[in-house]
Amino acid sequence: MKYWTMLLALAVFTQAHAGDDARRVLDCMRANVPSAAQVEDIQLSSSDSTGTTRALSGKIYAQRKGTHGSGELQVALRIESPTPYAGAAYLIREPGAGRQSSMFVYLPSVGRVRRITGAFVDGSLMGTNFSYQDFRQLATAFAGSTATLEPPSTIEQRPVYVLSFRPAAGSHSSFDRVRAWVDQKTCVPLKASFYAGNALLKALTASADALRQSGKYWYLSEMTMSDLRSGSQTVLRVAHVGEGVGIDKHYFEPGSFYQAN
């Protein structure tokens, strides 16, 4: 009996230790999400299996509320071109542990703000291969997901952590598991695989050569999201990242985020 008790205690300790290791990686990833406001110039270039292409350009505004930037993470995406999509906007408000995030979208063709709930979270973000949920997960370093740490690996001869994420209860995601390969030096994911059961449906890939640093924060200047079912893909390029102070609060208000200039 003592032998089995020792084995059980060892198993519990090992699971707890693995959980602590996963939390350390997550903490490192989330520490890489700027607490100060920042602005990013981005381009989303999509192509399908027929070779048809389309490009969108815009900006991302992000900041944390609260003392010393420790509170709610807020991220706004605004599309500036081409003309049919100019003025479209997307807002994420991530309140922190134990609370549900809020997502909102504004499309000029609809002319009103819509809260993103239910199955709509897996809808295409402005016609790209990124869904609203994909963008939220990347912008918030998988906040709200449950993570477990797998054995480490390498990408382009760089050591990476391998994390397996399960979506939060009630998230309505079409994926029940996401595996992410996180660069150990920068805590930036270089690869992610999105699964429904055992089926790999989407894949995010980036080269370590695309890693850039702005102040103390690291980011990817280019990444590709591929839909393995349709054969389409979207390349997200970040042309410029700059930290700013005092971005107008209207960028992050559900009633005005699409109007701020």
Side-chain angles (χ1 to χ4, degrees), residues 13-31:
F13 173 81
T14 301
Q15 290 171 4
H17 183 67
D20 289 342
D21 287 343
R23 280 191 291 273
R24 278 194 287 271
V25 178
L26 286 173
D27 287 344
C28 186
M29 291 172 66
R30 288 163 188 167

Side-chain angles (χ1 to χ4, degrees), residues 121-139:
V121 300
D122 278 321
S124 171
L125 175 66
M126 315 299 177
T128 70
N129 288 104
F130 290 90
S131 71
Y132 295 102
Q133 178 77 333
D134 297 338
F135 192 84
R136 186 197 71 81
Q137 288 182 318
L138 294 171

Side-chain angles (χ1 to χ4, degrees), residues 21-22 24-26 28-29 148-155 158-165 179-191:
D21 287 343
R24 278 194 287 271
V25 178
L26 286 173
C28 186
M29 291 172 66
T148 56
L149 191 65
E150 299 182 11
S153 184
T154 59
I155 291 180
R158 296 176 68 97
V160 294
Y161 302 110
V162 183
L163 289 172
S164 182
F165 293 95
R179 295 183 74 211
W181 286 256
V182 181
D183 181 54
Q184 291 189 12
K185 177 182 177 181
T186 63
C187 294
V188 174
L190 296 176
K191 176 182 174 182

